[in-house]
C-alpha cells in the first residue's frame, strides 16, 4: 500500500457492504434515490479531496501552528484551500435532506466519508466537522427564526460552528459553570462569561462563527438543571440576515496543544462590554439536554476519528516495516546473509497485529454505531425503534472511549515499530500519537464515559439496552457457519456469562455503601464490557471474511480476508483474556482505589 493511500481499497467496501449490508438502506424511502453506485461515488470524491488537499499539509500545519496577533488569527493558506474544497463538495450538508440543499446520505456512509479526512488531516477536518455537529443541534431544537438565520449558511460552510462548554474553573463539571445569560425586552439575551479549550473558536475560514454556548439564566434552578443553550455569533446579523457588526465575543488567546496543532484551540470572552447578543435555543434550563444531542453524536465521531488516526499510524508503520531492513532470522541468520525486512521479526508482527486489531476494530465498531442511527431513523416499528435507541444509548460511551483508548495505543506501537526514527519529528509516527492523545480527553473524558456506563447506561429502562445487545450478539453467534470463526465464538461465550454474573452482583451492591467501590472501579467495568463488545465486532468481521475467502480468486482480496481472520484471533486470544483481572476486582468489590486517602499520595 502506497504511503499516500489513506485507507486500504478493500476496507470500507468490506465494512459497509459485507459486514453492515449498508446497501439495504437504499430500500428505505429516505434513501431510495441512492444506490451503491452513488455511495461509492461519494466515497471516491472524499478520498480524492482528502488525498489531494488535506493530506499534503497535515505535517506542515503541525509545524506551523495558527498565530494570533491580537486582532485576528492567521494560518497557512493550505487550510482554507482544503476547507473550501470540503464545503464546495457539499459534505457539510451530506446528511441533510435534498430540500435543505443536502445529499440525504445515510449516517453510515457519511461516517465512512469522514474516515478519509480524519486519516488525512484531523486538524483541518475539525473545522467542518464541528460545524456539522452544531447544525445538528440547531436543526433539532432551535426556533424557525434561528434556523433561518444560521442554518442555510452553516450548511454551505459560509458560517462555521463550535460548541462552547468548558470554563477555566469547571472543566467537566458543567454544573459549576458561571457564564450567565440575561433576557432583554426584545427576547434576546446578553451573555457574559468565559470559555476555554474551544476548538475552532476563532479563525478567518468563514464569514461568521456560530458558537453554541452553555450559560445560566439568573433565577433558574441550581446545578445542571439551570443550564440553557444559546447561539452566539461572532458577528451579529442585520435585519436582512446579512453579516453585521462584531458581536461582543473576543479571542483572548490561542492554546498551544500537544497535537491537533493545525486547528485553533481558543480561550473566548463573552460580554466584556456588556453587549454579547445570544439567542436562546429551545427552552430555558434545557440546554444540557440539547447539547447532549450534539455531544452524543460527536462522541461517535471522536471514537471514529481516534480509530482512523490509529489506522493511519498503523499503515505508516506497516510501510516502514516492509522497507526497513535490520537483523536476520533463521535459517538465513549468518553474518554473510542479507538483512531482512523488520516485518519478518516475530515481535514486529505482534506490534503490527495489535495495531490492526485496535484500529480496524474501532473502525468497525463506530460504523456499527452509525448504522444503528440509520436503522433507528428509518425504522417504522415503534417497539423496535425504542429498542435500537436504547442499544445506541448503551453503546455510546464505548463508541467514544474504547477507540480513543486504543487508537493512541496503536500509535504508540507505531512509534515502537519505527524504533529511533519513530521518536523523531522527521517521521510522522510521533505526530499521529500526539494528535490522537486528545481523543481520550475531549467530549467527556474516558473516565466520565466509564462512570456513565457503570451508573446509568447499563441500568436505565430496566436494563433494556443490555437485553437488546445480548439479543444482537446471540443472533450473530448462533448464525456463524464458518469453522474458524465458530471457534472464536466459543471462546467469547463464557465471557458473556461472566459479564452477566458481574452485572447481577453489581445490581445488588448499588444501593449499599459498597457502591462507592464502583466509582474507583468503573474503568474495570468499561474494560469488561468494551472488550466483549469489540470481540463480537471482530467476530462479525471474521465470519464474513471467512465466508468470502473461498468465493474469490483475487490473491489481494484473499490476503485481506486472511488478515481479518488473523486479527480477530489476535484480539480474542491476546486481548479478551486480560479482562479476567477486572472481573475478579468487581466481583470482590475491590476497594483499593476508593480507600486511598489523599494524604497518602
Amino acid at each position: 500500500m502506497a504511503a499516500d493511500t489513506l485507507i486500504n481499497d478493500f476496507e470500507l467496501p468490506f465494512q459497509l457492504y459485507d459486514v453492515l449490508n449498508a446497501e439495504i438502506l437504499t430500500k428505505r424511502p429516505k434513501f431510495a434515490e441512492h444506490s451503491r453506485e452513488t455511495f461509492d461515488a461519494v466515497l471516491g470524491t472524499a478520498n480524492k479531496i482528502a488525498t489531494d488537499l488535506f493530506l499534503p499539509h497535515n505535517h506542515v500545519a503541525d509545524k506551523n501552528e495558527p498565530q494570533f496577533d491580537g486582532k485576528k488569527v492567521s494560518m497557512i493558506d493550505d487550510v482554507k484551500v482544503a476547507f473550501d474544497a470540503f464545503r464546495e463538495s457539499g459534505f457539510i450538508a451530506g446528511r441533510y435532506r435534498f430540500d435543505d440543499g443536502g445529499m440525504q446520505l445515510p449516517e453510515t456512509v457519511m461516517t465512512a466519508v469522514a474516515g478519509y479526512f480524519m486519516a488525512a488531516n484531523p486538524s483541518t477536518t475539525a473545522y467542518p466537522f464541528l460545524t456539522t455537529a452544531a447544525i445538528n443541534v440547531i436543526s433539532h431544537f432551535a426556533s424557525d427564526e434561528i434556523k433561518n438565520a444560521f442554518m442555510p449558511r452553516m450548511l454551505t460552510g459560509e458560517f462555521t460552528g463550535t460548541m462552547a462548554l468548558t470554563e477555566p474553573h469547571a472543566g467537566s463539571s458543567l454544573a459549576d459553570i458561571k457564564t450567565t445569560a440575561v433576557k432583554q425586552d426584545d427576547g434576546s439575551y446578553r451573555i457574559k462569561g468565559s470559555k476555554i479549550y474551544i476548538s475552532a473558536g476563532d479563525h478567518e475560514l468563514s464569514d461568521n462563527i456560530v458558537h453554541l454556548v452553555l450559560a445560566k439564566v439568573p433565577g433558574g434552578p441550581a446545578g445542571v438543571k439551570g443550564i440553557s443553550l444559546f447561539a452566539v455569533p461572532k458577528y451579529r446579523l442585520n435585519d436582512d440576515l446579512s453579516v453585521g457588526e462584531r458581536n461582543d465575543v473576543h479571542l483572548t488567546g490561542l492554546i498551544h496543544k500537544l497535537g491537533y496543532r493545525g486547528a485553533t484551540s481558543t480561550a473566548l470572552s463573552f460580554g466584556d462590554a456588556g453587549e454579547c447578543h445570544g439567542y436562546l435555543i429551545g427552552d430555558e434550563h434545557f440546554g444540557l439536554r440539547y447539547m447532549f444531542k450534539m455531544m452524543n453524536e460527536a462522541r461517535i465521531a471522536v471514537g471514529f476519528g481516534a480509530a482512523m488516526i490509529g489506522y493511519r499510524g498503523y499503515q505508516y508503520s506497516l510501510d516502514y516495516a516492509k522497507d526497513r531492513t535490520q537483523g536476520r532470522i533463521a535459517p538465513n541468520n549468518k553474518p554473510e546473509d542479507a538483512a531482512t525486512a523488520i516485518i519478518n521479526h516475530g515481535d514486529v508482527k505482534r506490534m503490527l497485529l495489535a495495531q490492526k486489531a485496535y484500529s480496524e476494530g474501532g473502525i468497525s465498531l463506530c460504523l456499527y454505531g452509525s448504522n444503528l442511527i440509520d436503522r433507528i431513523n428509518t425504522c417504522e416499528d415503534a417497539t423496535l425503534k425504542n429498542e435500537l435507541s436504547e442499544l445506541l444509548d448503551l453503546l455510546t460511551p464505548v463508541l467514544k472511549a474504547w477507540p480513543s483508548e486504543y487508537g493512541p495505543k496503536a500509535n504508540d506501537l507505531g512509534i515502537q515499530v519505527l524504533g529511533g526514527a519513530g521518536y523523531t519529528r522527521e517521521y510522522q509516527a510521533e505526530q499521529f500519537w500526539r494528535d490522537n492523545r486528545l481523543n481520550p480527553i475531549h467530549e467527556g473524558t474516558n473516565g466520565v464515559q466509564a462512570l456513565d456506563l457503570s451508573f446509568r447506561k447499563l441500568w436505565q429502562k430496566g436494563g433494556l439496552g443490555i437485553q437488546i445487545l445480548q439479543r444482537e450478539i446471540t443472533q450473530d453467534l448462533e448464525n456463524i457457519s464458518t469453522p474458524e470463526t465458530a471457534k472464536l465464538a466459543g471462546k467469547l461465550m463464557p465471557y458473556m456469562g461472566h459479564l452477566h454474573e458481574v452485572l447481577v452482583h453489581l445490581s445488588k451492591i448499588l444501593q449499599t455503601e459498597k457502591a462507592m467501590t464502583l466509582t474507583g472501579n468503573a474503568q474495570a467495568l468499561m474494560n469488561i464490557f468494551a472488550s466483549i463488545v469489540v470481540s463480537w465486532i471482530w467476530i462479525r468481521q471474521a465470519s464474513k471474511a471467512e465466508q468470502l475467502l473461498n468465493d474469490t480468486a483475487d490473491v489481494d482480496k484473499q490476503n485481506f480476508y486472511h488478515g481479518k481472520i488473523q486479527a480477530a484471533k489476535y484480539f480474542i486470544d491476546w486481548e479478551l483474556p486480560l479482562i479476567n483481572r477486572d472481573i475478579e476486582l468487581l466481583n470482590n468489590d475491590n476497594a483499593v482505589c476508593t480507600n486511598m486517602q489523599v494524604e497518602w499520595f
Side-chain angles (χ1 to χ4, degrees), residues 182 184 189-192 236 247-250 270-277:
V182 178
Q184 308 297 301
Y189 290 75
R190 295 297 177 269
I191 312 297
K192 186 170 182 58
R236 299 175 202 160
N247 202 3
D248 189 8
V249 180
H250 298 284
F270 299 86
D272 287 350
E275 286 297 324
C276 180
H277 293 231

Side-chain angles (χ1 to χ4, degrees), residues 165 167 169-179 216 222-224 227:
L165 288 73
E167 298 184 5
H169 65 283
S172 296
S173 182
L174 296 177
D176 297 322
I177 66 170
K178 296 179 180 178
T179 299
K216 292 184 176 180
V224 296
I227 294 175

Side-chain angles (χ1 to χ4, degrees), residues 496-511:
M496 295 286 292
H498 295 326
L499 173 62
H500 176 74
E501 293 166 2
V502 166
L503 294 180
V504 169
H505 173 72
L506 292 177
S507 69
K508 294 176 181 177
I509 72 160
L510 278 175
Q511 303 305 318

Side-chain angles (χ1 to χ4, degrees), residues 73 264 359 503:
V73 173
T264 56
S359 59
L503 294 180

